[in-house]
């Protein structure tokens, strides 16, 4: 049973525009969320996180929004750059150590 | 600081064999987690070790096992390999519990 879902397998965006990647979860006990970026032949790289006590966290061009009532989080990348082209995974944890549940990923392509 | 290293990077085995994969975490990191990545399934959590103790375990059969040594290095073992075990196996380390994880490049296992 997939507790974290990324329903869009792929997304294409023009360079300079906003990329919005979405993630839904089913477990109301999740209270810590992360986004990772993955290039081919490499392991995922941590991007940004958010805890359930916040609804927004920013780091440069990356902003994560959390809507607890909807069990939904999103990653905004502004402005998008060709180097952002990668697979993005969201992950969630319920404060049980490092047991994270990952989504299936969204492949982002930023078109120059 | 050196990143997470995994050996070997590629492995080909036949059904029924067993395999051992190795992971060296970032120096000072005490938590090591293992994930299986297959197309369409995202990253599936296998188990997490912290200070040589298995702290969390995912929903995988008993053929999948692991251990952690006193220097935090970890191994995972898969016995009686099946075709469906073909996947990318990722190891991740973190300094404490409930933290973002740093991933290695993975071991690509192919079972023929």
């Amino acid at each position: 049973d997939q507790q974290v879902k990324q329903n869009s397998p792929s997304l294409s965006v023009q360079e300079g525009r906003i990329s919005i990647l979405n993630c839904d979860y089913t477990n109301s006990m999740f209270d810590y969320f992360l986004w990772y970026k993955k290039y081919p032949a490499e392991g995922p790289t941590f991007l940004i996180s958010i805890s359930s006590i916040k609804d927004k966290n920013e780091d440069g061009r990356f902003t994560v929004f959390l809507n607890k009532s909807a069990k939904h989080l999103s990653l905004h990348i502004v402005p998008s750059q060709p180097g952002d082209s990668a697979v993005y995974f969201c992950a969630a944890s319920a404060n049980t150590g490092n047991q994270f549940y990952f989504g299936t990923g969204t492949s982002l392509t930023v078109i120059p | 600081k050196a990143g997470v290293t995994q050996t070997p990077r590629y492995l080909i085995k036949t059904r029924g064999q067993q395999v051992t994969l190795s992971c060296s975490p970032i120096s000072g990191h005490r938590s090591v987690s293992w994930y299986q990545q297959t197309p369409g399934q995202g990253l599936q959590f296998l188990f997490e070790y912290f200070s040589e103790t298995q702290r969390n375990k995912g929903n995988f059969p008993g053929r999948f096992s692991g251990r952690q040594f006193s220097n935090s290095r970890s191994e995972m073992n898969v016995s009686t390999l099946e075709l469906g075990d073909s996947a990318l196996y990722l190891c991740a380390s973190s300094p404490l519990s409930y933290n973002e994880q740093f991933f290695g490049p993975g071991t690509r296992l192919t079972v023929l």
Side-chain angles (χ1 to χ4, degrees), chain A residues 21-24 32 37 44 46 49 68-69 74 85 89-90 106:
Chain A
L21 295 97
N22 294 304
C23 180
D24 297 294
Y32 188 59
K37 179 167 75 171
F46 170 75
S49 64
K68 290 185 289 293
S69 61
S74 61
S85 297
F89 292 95
C90 64
T106 296

Side-chain angles (χ1 to χ4, degrees), chain A residues 31-50:
Chain A
D31 59 0
Y32 188 59
F33 305 88
L34 305 90
W35 283 93
Y36 285 87
K37 179 167 75 171
K38 186 180 186 300
Y39 293 117
E42 295 181 13
T45 303
F46 170 75
L47 262 180
I48 191 169
S49 64
I50 188 167

